[in-house]
């Protein structure tokens, strides 16, 4: 352990990030691939000036108090902030750093990868081959839908939503979008209009009290019966039990999910359905992206702890 302010890294981050953390700080690092159990996280937070976390670690008053009055900065390897009690951090004078921008393209790409997998039945075909079920190239075998000409409905038109919409447009899709604040840009519509029109409803909004279960049974009923839902935002934006029922009953055509309500648990009903594509929260999971995210976190720790300045990636108003 080198000198410098005491920092806890709750997870094993990308190699270059770990090296930089170790060079700058007195580092207490979780070197395993598993999250720290809550009790251990609280214990190891004690006395730290900085903590680097992921969305799996809940940063609330309990954790901030366990760290103690010397805690000055928490940096999260995420753009999503729903695991952080920002008000509690603000009250204690703790700066929160996060990782916008660097994961925009990777996450948008994942939304499109999942969408195409579902529309073109890629994972369904893969399962068929692996299970040894017979197949042959016949004119009517496993027909999917091409993206061109379909309507891509973007719920949340921030950085990631816009990037996904850009790729969808390049695939020949018509883009419609809706978000909390009106943008006045072409394709803008209300949430209700989007549900009624879109062939693909792709979620790109943060999880907040307003967006929890935004996609509930009523929203699913408002979608077209052949429409598909793509979720790369947060699981709880969708009522997962209502989604399973809608998929089973043919209320919508399919779902492609990178995120789940109670990760890593997945509603058992989803596993039985062929019209579902699932990934284990891989939106930002490329080495380049995770390294860039990690470096942004270290920038925040370094700015606050070693340079005494507000990081460029501090949560606005946080
Ligand atoms: C985020 O940034 O919020 C992602 O979910 C983590 O990759």
């Amino acid at each position: 352990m080198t000198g410098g302010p005491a920092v806890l890294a709750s997870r094993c981050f990308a190699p270059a990030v770990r090296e930089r953390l170790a060079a700058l700080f007195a580092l207490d690092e979780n070197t395993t691939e598993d999250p720290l159990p809550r009790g251990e996280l609280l214990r190891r937070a004690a006395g730290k000036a900085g903590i680097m976390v992921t969305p799996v670690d809940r940063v609330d008053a309990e954790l901030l108090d366990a760290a103690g009055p010397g805690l000055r900065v928490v940096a999260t390897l995420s753009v999503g902030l729903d695991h952080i009690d920002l008000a509690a951090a603000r009250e204690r004078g703790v700066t929160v750093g996060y990782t916008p921008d660097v994961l925009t393209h990777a996450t948008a790409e994942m939304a499109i990868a999942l969408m195409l997998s579902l529309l073109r039945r890629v994972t369904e075909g893969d399962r068929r081959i692996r299970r040894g079920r017979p197949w042959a190239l016949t004119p009517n075998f496993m027909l999917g839908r091409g993206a061109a000409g379909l309507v891509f409905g973007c719920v949340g038109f921030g950085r990631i939503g816009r990037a996904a919409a850009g790729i969808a447009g390049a695939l020949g899709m018509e883009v419609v979008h809706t978000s909390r604040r009106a943008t006045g840009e072409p394709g803008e519509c209300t949430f209700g209009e989007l549900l009624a029109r879109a062939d693909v409803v792709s979620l790109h909004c943060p999880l907040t009290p307003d967006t929890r279960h935004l996609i509930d049974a009523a929203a699913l009923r408002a979608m077209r019966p052949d429409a598909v839902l793509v979720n790369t935002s947060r699981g709880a934006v969708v009522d997962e039990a209502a989604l399973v029922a809608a998929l089973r009953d043919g209320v919508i055509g399919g779902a492609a999910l990178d995120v789940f309500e109670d990760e890593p648990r997945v509603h058992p009903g989803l596993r039985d359905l062929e019209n579902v594509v699932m990934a284990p929260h891989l939106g930002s999971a490329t080495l380049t992206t995770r390294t860039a995210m990690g470096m942004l976190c270290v920038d925040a720790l370094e700015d606050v702890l070693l340079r005494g300045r507000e990081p460029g990636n501090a949560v606005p108003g946080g």
Side-chain angles (χ1 to χ4, degrees):
M1 199 186 278
T2 55
V7 165
L8 172 65
S10 78
R11 302 303 292 268
C12 186
F13 295 102
V17 175
R18 296 178 65 192
E19 264 172 45
R20 192 169 153 218
L21 281 170
L24 292 173
F25 305 112
L27 183 64
D28 175 8
E29 185 187 28
N30 173 9
T31 54
T32 74
E33 283 301 320
D34 299 317
L36 292 177
R38 181 73 182 172
E40 193 177 341
L41 178 66
L42 295 175
R43 187 176 56 72
R44 287 172 66 172
K48 299 297 190 300
I51 305 180
M52 181 162 160
V53 298
T54 74
V56 169
D57 308 301
R58 201 173 67 251
V59 180
D60 54 8
E62 184 187 36
L63 178 64
L64 299 168
D65 290 340
L71 182 69
R72 294 171 55 207
V73 53
V74 171
T76 179
L77 192 88
S78 63
V79 70
L81 295 166
D82 47 287
H83 57 298
I84 300 185
D85 183 339
L86 293 174
R90 209 176 306 119
E91 275 162 26
R92 289 160 181 78
V94 174
T95 300
V96 177
Y98 74 140
T99 64
D101 299 317
V102 292
L103 47 57
T104 297
H105 188 76
T107 309
E109 193 175 72
M110 190 67 192
I112 300 297
L114 289 171
M115 175 193 80
L116 290 174
S117 268
L118 184 62
L119 292 175
R120 296 303 308 275
R121 306 175 70 176
V122 176
T123 49
E124 190 186 339
D126 178 89
R127 282 193 296 275
R128 186 176 184 107
I129 293 174
R130 287 174 198 277
R131 285 175 190 154
R133 291 185 55 202
W135 64 274
L137 193 169
T138 63
N140 298 313
F141 178 62
M142 282 198 75
L143 302 183
R145 281 192 291 168
L150 299 185
V151 176
F152 184 82
C154 195
V155 178
F157 208 48
R159 288 173 286 243
I160 298 172
R162 283 167 189 271
I167 307 173
L171 290 171
M173 301 180 80
E174 181 193 342
V175 173
V176 294
H177 56 91
T178 189
S179 49
R180 203 163 28 109
R181 272 185 242 107
T183 63
E185 291 176 47
E188 187 161 58
C189 62
T190 65
F191 180 56
E193 285 162 355
L194 184 145
L195 294 179
R197 272 210 68 205
D199 297 292
V200 176
V201 174
S202 192
L203 305 178
H204 300 284
C205 50
L207 174 63
T208 65
D210 287 343
T211 61
R212 182 172 294 276
H213 287 191
L214 179 69
I215 303 294
D216 57 7
L220 290 160
R221 276 196 307 275
M223 286 169 60
R224 300 161 53 101
D226 57 354
V228 300
L229 179 72
V230 178
N231 191 7
T232 51
S233 62
R234 282 292 183 267
V237 175
V238 177
D239 178 341
E240 215 162 86
L243 174 64
V244 170
L247 289 164
R248 264 199 208 125
D249 301 346
V251 173
I252 65 167
L257 308 169
D258 187 42
V259 288
F260 303 88
E261 262 202 273
D262 184 21
E263 294 176 10
R265 205 190 65 87
V266 169
H267 193 296
L270 290 172
R271 292 203 210 112
D272 302 333
L273 293 163
E274 286 294 354
N275 54 348
V276 174
V277 172
M278 292 185 281
H281 205 144
L282 298 179
S284 65
T286 71
L287 179 60
T288 312
T289 303
R290 287 281 163 82
T291 302
M293 292 166 75
M295 289 302 186
L296 266 186
C297 288
V298 185
D299 288 348
L301 294 166
E302 192 179 351
D303 277 342
V304 175
L305 300 179
L306 301 177
R307 302 193 193 286
R309 66 182 182 208
E310 176 83 350
N313 61 324
V315 172

